[in-house]
Amino acid sequence: MGERKGIEVSIAVAESASACDVDCIAAYPITPQTHVVEHLSEIVADGELDAEFIPVESEHGAMSACCGCAAAGARTFTATASQGLALMHEILFIASGLRMPIVMIVANRALSAPINIWNDHSDVMTERDVGWIQLFAENGQEAFDLVIQAFKIGEDKRVLLPVMVHFDGFILSHVVEPIEILSRDEVKSFLPDYEPAQRLDVDNPISMGPVGMPPVYTECKMVTEAAVRGSYGPIVECFDAFGKQFGRRYKPVETYRSEDADVLLVTMGGISETAMSWVDQQRSQGEKVGLVRFRLWRPLPMDDFMQAIKGAKALAVVDRHFSPGGPGGPVAQEIKYMLYNSEQRIPVVEFVAGLGGRDIYFTDFDKMYKRAKDVVQGAPIPPFELIQARGGHYGEV
Amino acid sequence: MPKQVPNPNWKDLALGGAVIEPGSAKYNRTGDWRSERPVWTDKRCVGCGVCSIFCPEGCITMIPDKTLDNERGYRPVTDLEYCKGCGICVVECDKRCRVLECIVMEEEKV
């Protein structure tokens, strides 16, 4: 087994990419992911990692260069956050459309304005449609492990898609945690050398990225849908194989003390660990609460989620982003989509919290639980609420 | 009429929408784009080949023709499967030829 040590999570993530023996890194620094990119440039310069490190002029250049590297047949890695992810937005669609298995770690950070370098999910949730596989890490070990699994999933010949691994900016990226660091040899036994399905080769010339006229674009998008949705099987296989080999098995939807819960909290990312502690506190007081978390976000694991929430009397969904003037938070929207046509009609109480790095405390969870409990006891379902906003969302203080 | 190729089903598309056959642009018969076609008037052409050099599609070939009364014994022939009717051949010819109207553009018959 690997060496377990106290290490800053960003550095661990860079070590993970190094253990995967990546061939190309084209990246641009942005708080809070900068340490990932800096450490990678150090280990490439020191000769510890035999890779091409391309210091580009912006994140747009970073993702473009990554597409070029992947097209040439290189195992490619990059990192970004917030404004950087937004800047590379147009190329993200291209990476998935061209089936480039790039792995990108995203240190989730709020979008401007106002400028905010702290953790929330506004950068993630505005990239739901880009056709990438998306995974969430809740602690440093998961961030380390998911990078390795991201390469395995993306490079699987049945998948061939780019993969984003999300981890909370500052909350995880700048925190020292005890992480088992796997060596390059250990990872190689799980993740063999990359064999591209298709690459730019002068001996076998092809053209990548041509125009798709109206008669054919719809079919190309159907391919993306089939590829993302069809990646579910290989993802679960990868989780199982990783669990068998390294002892940590991940699931598309993770649950915590949810079996007999009346109210289920739904979270994603780092706040899940705070939520787990809150659930323990409530359970010790006899309250029947539990926690359900999405680890796999795209493809959306609908069957797993519907299975996890069976029997609950209400869901309290904590979104960390919302659409102003729209239907609330994205996670709640997608949950309601799943519930609408199903026989389970569980009330969904929607909250938006943790924006721009605002810490979520037990008292916040208490407030959410109170609202959800009222609904279980017959109160009308309230509309979505920015529960931490001073001044109240709907006028009350 | 250019050959119509059936549009593929989504399962038949190449990976990543790549074009895997080199030179496949030749299946796109751009001849049906034009609304005028170049017509060569043999009496005045000197067979210099400038029209052939400047054609952006490479549609004009110079073929030998012993029956002609010009110095070089060549005349241009246009591949109408691909000619888009841009008129560059006419413009370049007019710049150099002391005699005008070796090539003229005529409206395409519907």
Side-chain angles (χ1 to χ4, degrees):
Chain A
M1 275 294 153
E3 182 198 348
R4 190 172 148 101
K5 53 185 183 180
I7 182 173
E8 185 184 300
V9 176
S10 293
I11 307 295
V13 164
E15 289 295 334
S16 184
S18 173
C20 294
D21 206 9
V22 296
D23 300 317
C24 273
I25 303 148
Y28 192 84
I30 182 170
T31 307
Q33 120 322 28
T34 309
H35 292 177
V36 177
V37 172
E38 277 177 354
H39 189 68
L40 277 169
S41 83
E42 278 168 10
I43 57 184
V44 169
D46 288 345
E48 259 176 59
L49 171 60
D50 177 20
E52 193 69 43
F53 185 93
I54 309 174
V56 288
E57 80 283 10
S58 77
E59 287 85 352
H60 187 273
M63 187 46 60
S64 305
C66 284
C67 283
C69 293
R75 180 173 279 167
T76 312
F77 182 79
T78 189
T80 195
S82 165
Q83 309 303 122
L85 187 60
L87 187 56
M88 53 166 76
H89 178 75
E90 63 151 340
I91 316 288
L92 296 175
F93 291 93
I94 294 172
S96 65
L98 297 182
R99 308 291 288 278
M100 311 264 99
I102 300 165
V103 169
M104 173 159 69
I105 188 109
V106 183
N108 302 134
R109 164 188 146 175
L111 287 169
S112 307
I115 303 178
N116 181 299
I117 56 173
W118 291 273
N119 165 236
D120 80 16
H121 287 172
S122 49
D123 58 357
V124 185
M125 293 303 168
T126 41
E127 307 295 351
R128 284 183 283 168
D129 299 345
V130 293
W132 285 49
I133 293 169
Q134 302 195 35
L135 297 158
F136 274 82
E138 294 164 7
N139 59 45
Q141 184 69 68
E142 294 182 9
F144 181 89
D145 291 344
L146 286 175
V147 167
I148 300 168
Q149 293 176 78
F151 280 112
K152 184 131 177 109
I153 292 164
E155 293 170 7
D156 189 315
K157 295 284 189 299
R158 299 166 291 174
V159 177
L160 295 172
L161 284 169
V163 184
M164 277 190 230
V165 177
H166 297 292
F167 75 132
D168 292 297
F170 284 126
I171 305 290
L172 280 185
S173 68
H174 281 62
V175 149
V176 174
E177 290 204 344
I179 300 176
E180 183 192 324
I181 302 291
L182 299 170
S183 70
R184 198 169 287 163
D185 291 327
E186 285 174 293
V187 172
K188 210 183 194 101
S189 62
F190 177 76
L191 175 72
D193 281 340
Y194 176 38
E195 279 169 27
Q198 182 174 262
R199 65 187 185 93
L200 297 174
D201 177 3
V202 292
D203 296 322
N204 295 295
I206 60 170
S207 281
M208 289 193 185
V211 164
M213 305 280 278
V216 88
Y217 185 86
T218 305
E219 284 69 23
C220 294
K221 290 295 119 180
M222 184 63 228
V223 170
T224 303
E225 160 65 10
V228 179
R229 202 166 290 285
S231 66
Y232 177 85
I235 290 171
V236 173
E237 271 177 40
C238 176
F239 285 166
D240 287 344
F242 192 89
K244 268 205 190 70
Q245 187 159 345
F246 298 111
R248 291 181 292 275
R249 190 181 170 275
Y250 298 117
K251 299 211 218 54
V253 173
E254 306 273 7
T255 59
Y256 184 71
R257 304 183 81 166
S258 65
E259 293 73 30
D260 63 334
D262 286 339
V263 172
L264 282 176
L265 214 59
V266 182
T267 59
M268 284 165 80
I271 66 163
S272 308
E273 299 216 317
T274 314
M276 282 189 243
S277 302
W278 177 82
V279 165
D280 284 340
Q281 184 208 58
Q282 294 295 309
R283 282 278 181 181
S284 70
Q285 292 165 10
E287 300 289 336
K288 294 173 73 181
V289 295
L291 178 67
V292 174
R293 305 109 65 194
F294 283 100
R295 176 176 306 295
L296 180 65
W297 176 235
R298 283 292 185 271
L300 190 66
M302 299 194 241
D303 293 336
D304 290 287
F305 184 77
M306 294 303 284
Q307 188 63 37
I309 62 171
K310 244 192 196 124
K313 303 216 175 78
L315 300 180
V317 181
V318 188
D319 261 299
R320 303 193 62 197
H321 173 62
F322 70 103
S323 181
V331 180
Q333 283 172 41
E334 303 209 353
I335 292 172
K336 283 179 152 180
Y337 168 87
M338 291 187 254
L339 287 172
Y340 190 82
N341 288 330
S342 87
E343 280 149 18
Q344 300 184 68
R345 293 308 292 249
I346 304 173
V348 177
V349 191
E350 307 169 53
F351 303 101
V352 175
L355 298 178
R358 179 83 65 94
D359 291 323
I360 302 182
Y361 296 96
F362 281 14
T363 44
D364 295 309
F365 287 129
D366 288 337
K367 233 164 129 180
M368 296 182 210
Y369 178 50
K370 167 101 188 24
R371 300 250 201 290
K373 231 164 88 164
D374 289 344
V375 166
V376 171
Q377 278 151 16
I381 305 171
F384 91 94
E385 186 178 358
L386 264 75
I387 199 149
Q388 294 171 314
R390 285 184 302 278
H393 189 154
Y394 297 104
E396 81 279 10
V397 170
Chain B
M1 270 296 287
K3 186 177 106 180
Q4 296 295 317
V5 180
N7 284 316
N9 286 334
W10 66 270
K11 293 187 184 171
D12 299 332
L13 291 171
L15 182 68
V19 176
I20 53 178
E21 185 190 333
S24 58
K26 64 179 178 279
Y27 297 126
N28 187 18
R29 307 290 173 90
T30 50
D32 65 346
W33 296 18
R34 66 172 179 270
S35 51
E36 314 180 292
R37 67 166 66 189
V39 173
W40 173 73
T41 56
D42 52 344
K43 295 186 185 65
R44 302 163 193 251
C45 172
V46 298
C48 70
V50 157
C51 54
S52 169
I53 291 167
F54 278 88
C55 173
E57 293 300 318
C59 286
I60 303 183
T61 350
M62 301 304 288
I63 58 164
D65 190 340
K66 292 283 188 313
T67 67
L68 293 177
D69 184 25
N70 71 43
E71 306 160 15
R72 294 177 180 80
Y74 281 87
R75 67 175 171 85
V77 160
T78 313
D79 183 348
L80 291 172
E81 288 281 278
Y82 294 101
C83 170
K84 292 181 194 154
C86 67
I88 287 176
C89 48
V90 174
V91 165
E92 295 301 327
C93 173
D94 286 353
K95 278 188 203 162
R96 290 167 186 74
C97 203
R98 279 164 288 141
V99 187
L100 294 176
E101 294 183 10
C102 299
I103 313 181
V104 293
M105 297 305 283
E106 265 182 22
E107 219 177 280
E108 191 62 58
K109 305 165 204 67
V110 174

